[in-house]
């Protein structure tokens, strides 16, 4: 009897295991097929004026190919199951993409800072069954906040701020047990706010919704219950109706006229900028005496109220706007992403430090401004844009010749080496990419965003760096970040090495056009698959080959490969990289008298001697 029971139990367990395996296997297959269908329909349903979704090429049929798409994060890089969809700040237009429901394993959706309009679907909980983070902020959504959001029981974060939402906030949202962050500021909402648990919301979560009341806002007025009050109110209403009707008609035409006038003056003004009303007199703290004194009002006028049409760049640390002052001076203004980890005192301290950092290959911080929760940084304008845009222009085909690419590499290496070895305090950049290397009027490279990583949440910074890089490119991130989540100088060297590979190959860090369709890796992985020097030369940009500089190209490529070795200890320091690049470009007279002192604390003395020998050999 006992034997029969044991056998029976084993058979039962085996059947359960098999059933679970089949269920999981079928579910994964279903998820793979539907997720591809999901992304196809999302792309087709949205207008993409800036072609951010051009990497969404569905002709590739290899497993995991959609995981290489811009903004797409998968549960596993070799499996077509979408974990998160991050399409922030892409200028996308259209309605909320209902086809998102076919991404059956999706947990995070970020459509913020776009131009999506009309209503949020009332059945959104059926479209996003397992969503944990939902960010629809800074769009043009109208109508009510869907009641069905209360059925998204896994929600941790919900951001609906800076839209045109109307009506009440559903009280049932307070029942979401996992909710930790909620914001609906800068909308047109009215009524009593939900009774959230302590710590989830503050008054800022409801800012600029004049019709809201309740904790933590002003107390809602009690509804009168006495009959005579209603009678008196009715009589009063009847008494003023005639006068109000006439006045209302007059106001209607006046407001409409003023509205049209405002649209003509500020057709695309940002809602967050308009929320700064009453703070325009705040002064901009300036570090440069050569720039005239200004206040927030001057910045708003110079950027057309931070119009979307004036955006010239964006990344994890914030959005950059072009600003033209009344005297014709061109500047750049960066609006920092909100940081919850630094007080005003700490922010002022960081600004005091960064404002003193000066080097010919760094974008100088000219000043800053604090208004409410906004943090604005003022920089010198760089008229030739980013290295990324010069290398990968929208119309295809870079116009950068070899001498210009080498000049940019040497100058950028000089700036980064100065941050690592001579700046006091020394600065680890953390987010080096071709998009944070800007070019001035003479195409002299200037590194931007140095020091800004310190203003972000340290943990979030590293996680975001690993997942997205500064501008959403995994190709720049050193492989050790996945394990340590710690920023190091050798991590900067790896990122800079990827920039060097971009310069010499002409390829993007996450998409190699010359690689076969079956290749799934990034630029570094593509380079490391070459086993011999002769094959390595095949990676060089064809437009540079055969012009008498092949030896320089190959030496440059070797330096880049040394920077992106997998083991951090085997990578050179930035001082060493700068010295090697100087040697390669010695005949061009790019270099100037060094401001970089020989590092004495790198711990790589032996390696330095080897590299100096290598430099002499290249000369």
């Amino acid at each position: 009897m006992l034997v029969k029971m044991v056998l029976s139990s084993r058979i039962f367990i085996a059947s359960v295991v098999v059933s679970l395996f089949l269920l999981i296997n079928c579910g994964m297959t279903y998820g793979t097929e539907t997720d591809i269908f999901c992304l196809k329909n999302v792309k087709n349903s949205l207008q993409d004026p800036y072609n951010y979704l051009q990497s969404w090429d569905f002709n590739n049929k290899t497993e995991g190919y959609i995981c290489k798409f811009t903004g797409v994060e998968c549960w596993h890089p070799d499996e077509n199951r979408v974990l998160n969809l991050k399409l922030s700040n892409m200028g996308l237009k259209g309605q909320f993409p209902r086809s998102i429901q076919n991404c059956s394993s999706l947990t995070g959706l970020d459509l913020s800072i776009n131009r999506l309009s009309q209503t949020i679907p009332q059945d959104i909980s059926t479209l996003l069954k397992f969503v944990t983070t939902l960010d629809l902020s800074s769009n043009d959504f109208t109508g009510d906040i869907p009641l069905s959001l209360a059925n998204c029981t896994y929600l941790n974060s919900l951001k609906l701020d800076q839209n045109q939402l109307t009506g009440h906030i559903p009280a049932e949202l307070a029942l979401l047990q996992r909710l930790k962050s909620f914001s609906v500021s800068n909308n047109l909402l009215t009524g009593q706010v939900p009774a959230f648990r302590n710590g989830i919301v503050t008054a800022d979560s409801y800012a600029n919704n004049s019709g809201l009341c309740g904790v933590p806002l002003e107390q809602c007025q009690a509804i009168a219950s006495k009959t005579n009050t209603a009678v008196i109110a009715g009589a009063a209403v009847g008494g003023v109706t005639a006068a109000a009707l006439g006045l209302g008609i007059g106001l209607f035409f006046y407001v409409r006229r003023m509205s049209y006038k405002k649209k003509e003056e500020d057709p695309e003004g940002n809602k967050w900028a308009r929320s700064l009303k009453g703070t325009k007199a705040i002064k901009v703290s300036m570090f440069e005496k050569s720039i005239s004194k200004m206040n927030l009002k001057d910045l708003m006028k110079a950027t057309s109220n931070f119009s979307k049409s004036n955006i010239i760049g964006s990344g994890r640390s914030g959005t950059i706007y072009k600003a033209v002052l009344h005297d014709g001076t061109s500047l750049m203004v960066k609006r920092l992403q909100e940081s919850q980890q630094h007080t005003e005192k700490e922010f002022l301290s960081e600004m005091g430090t960064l404002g003193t950092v000066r080097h010919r290959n760094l974008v100088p911080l000219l000043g800053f401004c604090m208004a409410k929760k906004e943090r604005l940084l003022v920089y010198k304008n760089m008229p030739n844009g980013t290295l990324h845009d010069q290398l990968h222009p929208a119309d295809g085909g870079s116009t950068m010749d070899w001498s210009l690419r080498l000049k940019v590499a040497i100058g950028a290496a000089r700036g980064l080496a100065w941050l690592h070895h001579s700046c006091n305090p020394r600065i680890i950049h953390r987010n080096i990419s071709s998009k944070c290397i800007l070019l001035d009027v003479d195409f002299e490279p200037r590194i931007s965003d140095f020091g800004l990583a310190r203003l972000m949440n340290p943990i979030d910074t590293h996680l975001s760096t690993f997942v997205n890089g500064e501008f959403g490119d995994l190709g720049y991130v050193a492989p050790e970040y996945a394990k340590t989540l710690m920023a190091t100088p050798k991590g900067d060297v790896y990122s800079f090495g990827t920039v060097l590979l971009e310069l010499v190959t002409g390829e993007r860090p996450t998409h190699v056009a010359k690689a076969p369709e079956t290749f799934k890796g990034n630029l570094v992985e593509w380079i490391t698959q070459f086993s011999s020097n002769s094959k390595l030369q095949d990676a060089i940009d064809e437009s540079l080959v055969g012009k008498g500089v092949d030896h320089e190209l190959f030496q440059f490529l070797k330096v880049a490969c040394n920077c992106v070795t997998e083991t951090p200890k085997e990578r050179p320091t930035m001082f060493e990289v700068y010295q090697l690049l100087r040697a390669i470009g010695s005949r061009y007279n790019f270099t100037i008298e060094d401001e970089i002192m020989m590092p004495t604390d790198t711990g790589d003395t032996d390696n330095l001697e080897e590299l100096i020998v290598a430099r002499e050999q290249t000369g």
Side-chain angles (χ1 to χ4, degrees):
M1 184 68 178
L2 181 61
V3 174
K4 288 183 177 181
M5 291 177 63
V6 171
L7 289 174
S8 178
S9 64
R10 288 182 177 177
I11 292 171
F12 173 75
I13 293 172
S15 65
V16 170
V17 171
V18 172
S19 298
L20 284 174
F21 174 78
L22 291 174
L23 180 62
I24 293 172
N25 189 53
C26 291
M28 288 170 63
T29 302
Y30 178 75
T32 294
E33 295 174 352
T34 58
D35 285 17
I36 296 173
F37 180 74
C38 168
L39 296 184
K40 282 184 179 180
N41 283 279
V42 167
K43 181 179 182 180
N44 292 335
S45 67
L46 297 174
Q47 298 178 46
D48 180 24
Y50 303 110
N51 294 319
Y52 279 103
L53 303 183
Q54 65 180 352
S55 68
W56 290 28
D57 182 3
F58 296 94
N59 293 322
N60 187 336
K61 302 302 180 182
T62 57
E63 186 65 24
Y65 74 96
I66 65 173
C67 305
K68 307 295 182 183
F69 290 176
T70 300
V72 177
E73 296 174 9
C74 294
W75 286 86
H76 187 278
D78 294 327
E79 181 183 354
N80 290 328
R81 296 178 67 206
V82 180
L83 171 65
N84 293 312
L85 198 56
K86 297 185 176 181
L87 307 179
S88 177
N89 201 11
M90 293 184 174
L92 302 175
K93 299 179 182 180
Q95 304 178 35
F96 183 95
R98 292 188 59 85
S99 53
I100 202 73
Q101 64 182 321
N102 294 307
C103 289
S104 53
S105 303
L106 189 74
T107 63
L109 178 62
D110 184 355
L111 298 175
S112 61
I113 320 178
N114 283 297
R115 304 189 66 180
L116 304 181
S117 58
Q118 300 193 29
T119 61
I120 301 172
Q122 292 298 317
D123 59 343
I124 191 169
S125 63
T126 64
L127 306 181
L128 301 168
K129 294 181 179 180
F130 304 107
V131 66
T132 60
T133 59
L134 178 60
D135 191 347
L136 303 180
S137 60
S138 298
N139 277 287
D140 296 313
F141 287 114
T142 58
D144 297 337
I145 296 176
L147 175 61
S148 69
L149 279 171
N151 297 326
C152 296
T153 55
Y154 299 103
L155 263 179
N156 284 277
S157 176
L158 177 59
K159 295 183 179 181
L160 303 174
D161 45 291
Q162 298 192 53
N163 280 286
Q164 301 177 43
L165 300 174
T166 55
H168 291 46
I169 303 174
E172 291 81 358
L173 294 181
L175 301 177
L176 292 171
Q177 296 298 313
R178 292 181 171 87
L179 196 64
K180 298 177 182 178
S181 175
F182 176 77
S183 177
V184 290
S185 61
N186 297 288
N187 279 288
L188 306 171
L189 299 167
T190 57
Q192 185 166 352
V193 299
F196 288 110
R197 302 187 312 277
N198 290 337
I200 294 179
V201 298
T202 64
D204 289 334
S205 302
Y206 302 119
N208 300 306
N209 286 279
S210 58
L212 293 178
C213 61
V215 180
L217 306 174
E218 294 183 1
Q219 186 176 2
C220 297
Q221 295 182 357
I223 300 176
S225 58
K226 295 183 180 180
T227 305
N228 61 336
T229 303
V231 172
I232 293 172
V237 171
V240 300
T241 298
L245 183 62
L247 180 61
I249 294 173
L251 284 174
F252 170 77
F253 287 104
Y254 174 76
V255 170
R256 187 172 70 170
R257 180 182 177 186
M258 294 303 293
S259 176
Y260 286 149
K261 183 177 179 181
K262 185 175 182 180
K263 287 182 179 179
E264 290 175 359
E265 295 174 348
D266 178 25
E268 295 183 338
N270 255 318
K271 290 182 281 294
W272 69 265
R274 291 197 292 270
S275 72
L276 297 179
K277 183 179 180 181
T279 64
K280 294 183 178 181
I282 293 178
K283 293 183 178 179
V284 178
S285 300
M286 302 300 295
F287 299 112
E288 289 276 349
K289 293 183 179 180
S290 60
I291 304 296
S292 59
K293 294 181 180 180
M294 68 182 76
N295 54 26
L296 180 58
K297 181 179 180 180
D298 296 321
L299 289 185
M300 297 183 74
K301 184 175 181 180
T303 58
S304 300
N305 284 341
F306 292 94
S307 168
K308 292 181 180 179
S309 62
N310 277 2
I311 293 177
I312 56 176
S314 62
R316 182 189 54 79
S317 60
T319 304
I320 304 174
Y321 297 83
K322 181 180 179 180
V324 181
L325 301 179
H326 60 86
D327 62 357
T329 302
S330 292
L331 301 171
M332 299 186 300
V333 181
K334 166 163 277 195
R335 180 203 180 200
L336 288 182
Q337 295 282 34
E338 183 179 341
S339 173
Q340 301 290 342
Q341 301 297 316
H342 287 76
T343 64
E344 181 175 316
K345 182 178 179 180
E346 291 170 329
F347 177 79
L348 288 173
S349 176
E350 286 296 321
M351 290 297 99
T353 300
L354 295 180
T356 62
V357 176
R358 289 291 183 271
H359 187 273
R360 65 171 296 187
N361 294 115
L362 302 179
V363 178
L365 176 63
L366 304 180
F368 68 95
C369 179
M370 296 187 297
K372 295 185 177 179
K373 297 184 72 174
E374 298 295 336
R375 302 290 185 264
L376 305 173
L377 309 184
V378 181
Y379 292 99
K380 183 178 179 180
N381 185 43
M382 297 290 117
N384 282 310
T386 69
L387 172 60
H388 179 275
D389 291 343
Q390 292 288 341
L391 275 176
H392 315 293
D395 57 357
S398 175
T399 58
M400 298 183 71
D401 60 21
W402 170 239
S403 62
L404 180 55
R405 299 190 198 197
L406 187 54
K407 172 185 177 180
V408 171
I410 293 173
R414 183 192 301 120
L416 191 54
W418 188 84
L419 288 175
H420 280 195
H421 301 294
S422 299
C423 180
N424 187 16
R426 297 183 182 183
I427 294 176
I428 300 174
H429 192 289
R430 306 187 188 199
N431 294 301
I432 283 289
S433 75
S434 61
K435 289 186 178 179
C436 71
I437 298 175
L438 307 185
L439 305 174
D440 67 14
V441 66
D442 297 317
F443 283 89
E444 185 69 27
R446 305 283 194 113
I447 296 175
S448 67
D449 289 347
F450 56 90
L452 293 190
R454 290 170 58 88
L455 294 173
M456 311 301 288
N457 181 331
I459 298 299
D460 289 346
T461 295
H462 297 305
L463 286 173
S464 178
T465 299
F466 173 64
V467 174
N468 296 316
E470 168 66 294
F471 298 90
D473 288 331
L474 282 168
Y476 294 106
V477 184
E480 64 267 18
Y481 278 171
K483 297 179 180 179
T484 66
L485 298 182
M486 292 296 295
T488 65
K490 291 301 181 75
D492 275 1
V493 171
Y494 182 96
S495 300
F496 187 73
T498 306
V499 174
L500 296 182
L501 289 178
E502 275 187 272
L503 282 164
V504 73
T505 67
E507 299 285 353
R508 297 174 183 269
T510 55
H511 178 70
V512 183
K514 289 193 290 188
E517 292 185 1
T518 56
F519 180 75
K520 303 178 182 179
N522 57 33
L523 177 56
V524 173
E525 293 167 341
W526 181 64
I527 289 292
T528 54
Q529 73 178 354
F530 293 102
S531 58
S532 66
N533 291 348
S534 59
K535 289 185 178 180
L536 193 59
Q537 288 180 318
D538 295 338
I540 296 174
D541 189 339
E542 294 177 359
S543 67
L544 306 176
V545 177
K547 297 184 179 179
V549 293
D550 288 2
H551 179 68
E552 293 175 10
L553 291 169
F554 184 70
Q555 292 299 323
F556 187 97
L557 183 55
K558 294 289 285 185
V559 173
C561 290
N562 285 333
C563 292
V564 297
T565 55
E566 187 171 358
T567 305
K569 290 184 178 180
E570 295 178 359
R571 299 171 200 155
T573 65
M574 273 312 305
F575 177 80
E576 296 165 357
V577 175
Y578 171 54
Q579 291 286 57
L580 287 172
L581 294 177
R582 280 185 63 195
I584 295 172
S586 59
R587 73 183 182 94
Y588 296 93
N589 297 319
F590 291 145
T591 57
I592 58 174
E593 185 177 349
D594 271 335
E595 316 99 346
I596 305 170
M597 298 177 62
M598 171 73 78
T600 58
D601 59 347
T602 61
D604 295 327
T605 305
D606 294 339
N607 192 28
L608 176 60
E609 291 176 355
E610 294 174 4
L611 286 168
I612 294 300
V613 171
R615 185 194 73 178
E616 292 172 350
Q617 291 175 349
T618 61

